[in-house]
Amino acid sequence: GESVGLHLPTLSVQEGDNSIINCAYSNSASDYFIWYKQESGKGPQFIIDIRSNMDKRQGQRVTVLLNKTVKHLSLQIAATQPGDSAVYFCADRPTFGNTGKLIFGQGTTLQVKP
Amino acid sequence: ETGVTQTPRHLVMGMTNKKSLKCEQHLGHNAMYWYKQSAKKPLELMFVYNFKEQTENNSVPSRFSPECPNSSHLFLHLHTLQPEDSALYLCASSSGTGSYEQYFGPGTRLTVT
């Protein structure tokens, strides 16, 4: 069936280092891929998206890479800060109709060490 | 109030109780969503409403009953729940179901005893 999965449940990085969070997806027909961040006690918050016809998109300190050949998505955070500590979810949007349905992965917990 | 608000933030209920979760969005959006978030599992979409009409029911048991009286408010009525229904219930909204940028509330932490 359809699924979105992450490679590592937990990632620990030193403050100031770069972080890379990976995600694998199974649905070749998804048109958008999205990253969300969920801080403790809060709901998920949209970070960045990438359309399926792109392979890279940059935001403020974040970059998302899409490799459709191997169905792999990654989120890179530059100069990781303590405020980046959170659970990060990737999600994809199936193209069959505008139903609002997103398929979420399980999440990677990013821990930033001072 | 700004964004998406949810009440109550925490709820403990017995299996025979009836309770309701409330969600309100102050963003002028037209689509609203209920998700279930359990430990070590991906977010599970439960229901989608667009312009007050239900457009998606993701095979949710009938002990969960959603209600959307207008585009700003969404309820989840709970009845005869099971302990395995204990989870964080998240509400989200978006400008429409064509938008993938969803804005989430803080969630209601539900414990069924």
Side-chain angles (χ1 to χ4, degrees), chain A residues 4 32-34 36 38 41-46 49-50 57 89 93 97-107, chain B residues 9 33 35 37 40-43 45 48 50 55-56 58 88 90 96-107:
Chain A
V4 177
Y32 277 97
F33 299 87
I34 308 106
Y36 279 84
Q38 186 173 20
K42 298 183 179 180
Q45 180 183 16
F46 173 89
D49 65 284
I50 188 168
R57 184 154 189 231
F89 296 95
R93 187 180 82 165
N98 289 330
T99 63
K101 188 171 184 177
L102 296 178
I103 309 298
F104 282 85
Q106 267 188 287
Chain B
R9 293 293 308 274
Y33 310 78
Y35 284 90
Q37 187 174 34
K40 302 191 187 305
K41 292 177 72 175
L43 269 75
L45 179 67
V48 181
N50 196 31
T55 57
E56 186 92 9
N58 203 26
L88 183 68
L90 290 160
T97 53
S99 171
Y100 52 82
E101 187 170 348
Q102 297 179 11
Y103 292 77
F104 285 81

Side-chain angles (χ1 to χ4, degrees), chain A:
Chain A
E2 189 174 359
S3 67
V4 177
L6 288 174
H7 294 298
L8 285 175
T10 303
L11 176 66
S12 184
V13 299
Q14 203 70 39
E15 181 179 356
D17 287 351
N18 297 334
S19 303
I20 300 176
I21 301 171
N22 296 304
C23 181
Y25 64 93
S26 63
N27 186 0
S28 324
S30 297
D31 63 349
Y32 277 97
F33 299 87
I34 308 106
W35 282 98
Y36 279 84
K37 171 187 180 183
Q38 186 173 20
E39 296 176 84
S40 181
K42 298 183 179 180
Q45 180 183 16
F46 173 89
I47 303 173
I48 191 169
D49 65 284
I50 188 168
R51 194 165 183 165
S52 59
N53 62 357
M54 301 170 67
D55 52 24
K56 181 178 181 179
R57 184 154 189 231
Q58 285 185 291
Q60 188 177 17
R61 277 202 311 119
V62 295
T63 301
V64 57
L65 299 177
L66 177 63
N67 184 331
K68 293 181 289 293
T69 303
V70 295
K71 296 182 184 175
H72 183 268
L73 183 71
S74 69
L75 177 71
Q76 299 179 0
I77 304 173
T80 312
Q81 302 168 1
D84 296 325
S85 294
V87 181
Y88 289 81
F89 296 95
C90 62
D92 73 316
R93 187 180 82 165
T95 53
F96 42 88
N98 289 330
T99 63
K101 188 171 184 177
L102 296 178
I103 309 298
F104 282 85
Q106 267 188 287
T108 289
T109 300
L110 177 64
Q111 298 173 337
V112 182
K113 297 178 287 186

Side-chain angles (χ1 to χ4, degrees), chain B residues 59-98:
Chain B
S59 304
V60 181
S62 60
R63 58 185 183 270
F64 295 90
S65 175
E67 179 189 1
C68 189
N70 54 62
S71 292
S72 298
H73 294 85
L74 186 64
F75 295 89
L76 188 63
H77 304 298
L78 315 172
H79 175 53
T80 322
L81 295 191
Q82 305 298 312
E84 59 265 28
D85 296 321
S86 299
L88 183 68
Y89 288 85
L90 290 160
C91 173
S93 71
S94 66
S95 56
T97 53

